[in-house]
Amino acid sequence: MRAEAAAPAAASEPRRRIRPSLVYSVAAVLLLGAALLALADVGERSGRLGDWQAFALGVTQGLTELLPVSSSGHLILVPWLADWHYLESHSDFNKTFDVALHLGTLVAVVMYFWADVVRYVGAWFASVRRRHVVTEDQRIAWWIFAATVPTAIAGAIGEDTIENRLGQPWQIAIFLAVFGLLLWLADRLPQEKRIGELGFRAAFLVGISQILALMPGVSRSGITITAGRTARLDRDAAARFAFLLLIPIVFGAVVYKGVKHVLLGSLPAGSVGPFVVGTMAAAAVGLVAIDLLLGYIRRHDYSPFVIYRLVVAAGIVAVILSGWRGATFG
């Protein structure tokens, strides 16, 4: 009787269908491949972003896109601290390279949750075909779809504003600290719900909270986990729902920016090597980051990520006050 009662809830929950050994094997192959390509200086050109710089940024993307610590913020901070000016002074390359890095983490999430992606996409199309939402999988699929639309529109409309007015180191420090504290407060709430119990309104609000992540330093996974915990999702469900919401929005961003900056534009010379290296490194580290995060939060809370955000924010302030790096670019 107990097993039968648990079955309906389990059927609607995202769950890993990929073996841990496969996760780490694929990640190791991708990371080794990226390192060997960087070592061989494949596609690298003097005066451009180097393959090892692309490797470092790919690793940074893979870790920080999927952990609640802000990938966009870290992708700005790493060149800022390392005094790399190429991306800052070559906006066209920066935009196309950003597409490559996000493609890497998208590949990681889709690979890890492939069975769930197939299940929810199939459920969505089944509900469209029948013009009726029947199952819990179909409801969750529609929650994800509805929550993605306003975020995608906001991202497309606000792209130039974000690039021109946000992303300064001092701003990133503030957002890391403020939204880290919000995550800590939300994580103190009771764990009462699984994803299938969330409801349309709460799921929609969790989804559109991603709009705030357009500001570097907020963190897409961080803000959706915060919103999920505020809605009383348990820690595992909040993280899994955040990853499911990431797939359509990052897929849309990759397609939109890929068409706008790559297909309709032109790849700068010397792009291929760093693009391939960065994408492979991001995918490899992203796979590991997902597995480690989900394994960790089944037994612990999000406090270490909050502490990390506060430490990094304090570090940025210290660097600025020391005069080692400026509070702004330019």
Side-chain angles (χ1 to χ4, degrees):
M1 292 295 292
R2 185 177 301 174
E4 291 176 359
S12 67
E13 291 301 323
R15 51 191 179 274
R16 186 182 64 196
R17 303 288 183 83
I18 182 171
R19 298 188 305 276
S21 59
L22 183 58
V23 169
Y24 291 94
S25 296
V26 171
V29 169
L30 288 172
L31 196 62
L32 179 61
L36 290 175
L37 290 174
L39 187 65
D41 295 333
V42 172
E44 186 171 313
R45 285 201 178 190
S46 178
R48 305 284 183 176
L49 184 76
D51 284 350
W52 281 114
Q53 292 174 327
F55 182 88
L57 292 172
V59 170
T60 300
Q61 168 72 10
L63 272 175
T64 57
E65 175 74 21
L66 301 166
L67 301 182
V69 295
S70 178
S71 63
S72 58
H74 281 76
L75 290 175
I76 293 170
L77 293 175
V78 169
W80 177 66
L81 290 172
D83 204 24
W84 299 341
H85 296 288
Y86 184 78
L87 292 176
E88 175 192 344
S89 57
H90 294 80
S91 59
D92 289 342
F93 184 95
N94 193 8
K95 291 174 182 177
T96 50
F97 185 61
D98 182 71
V99 174
L101 294 183
H102 279 85
L103 176 61
T105 46
L106 176 65
V107 168
V109 177
V110 170
M111 285 179 63
Y112 199 94
F113 292 106
W114 176 248
D116 297 299
V117 171
V118 172
R119 184 157 55 109
Y120 288 126
V121 170
W124 188 84
F125 277 108
S127 69
V128 171
R129 186 171 59 251
R130 296 173 182 172
R131 299 183 181 180
H132 188 51
V133 176
V134 179
T135 69
E136 196 160 82
D137 283 351
Q138 291 172 2
R139 285 196 293 274
I140 293 173
W142 274 104
W143 296 348
I144 295 171
F145 176 84
T148 299
V149 174
T151 310
I153 294 173
I157 294 175
E159 181 182 19
D160 292 337
T161 300
I162 294 162
E163 291 175 357
N164 296 330
R165 301 193 177 183
L166 298 174
Q168 300 293 347
W170 68 270
Q171 295 170 328
I172 293 172
I174 292 174
F175 292 145
L176 281 171
V178 169
F179 286 92
L181 291 174
L182 289 177
L183 173 60
W184 185 84
L185 290 172
D187 202 32
R188 307 277 74 77
L189 296 172
Q191 304 183 72
E192 298 174 346
K193 299 177 181 178
R194 303 297 293 168
I195 294 173
E197 302 168 317
L198 191 55
F200 177 84
R201 182 175 179 274
F204 183 75
L205 291 175
V206 171
I208 64 173
S209 69
Q210 294 179 107
I211 293 174
L212 294 173
L214 296 172
M215 302 183 295
V218 173
S219 171
R220 188 188 314 279
S221 61
I223 193 62
T224 49
I225 288 171
T226 299
R229 291 291 292 116
T230 301
R232 307 298 177 93
L233 283 178
D234 66 44
R235 293 186 179 105
D236 181 73
R240 288 173 177 269
F241 194 50
F243 291 142
L244 287 174
L245 290 172
L246 177 147
I247 293 173
I249 198 66
V250 174
F251 175 78
V254 167
V255 171
Y256 172 74
K257 291 184 177 182
V259 171
K260 182 178 179 180
H261 300 304
V262 179
L263 295 182
L264 298 181
S266 60
L267 288 177
S271 299
V272 176
F275 276 34
V276 174
V277 170
T279 301
M280 291 175 65
V285 177
L287 276 169
V288 175
I290 296 171
D291 197 68
L292 291 179
L293 177 63
L294 292 180
Y296 173 83
I297 54 140
R298 291 187 186 104
R299 298 177 296 276
H300 308 284
D301 63 20
Y302 288 102
S303 294
F305 302 104
V306 175
I307 294 170
Y308 173 82
R309 293 175 68 115
L310 295 175
V311 169
V312 172
I316 295 170
V317 173
V319 167
I320 293 172
L321 292 178
S322 72
W324 184 37
R325 294 286 185 267
T328 61
F329 296 105

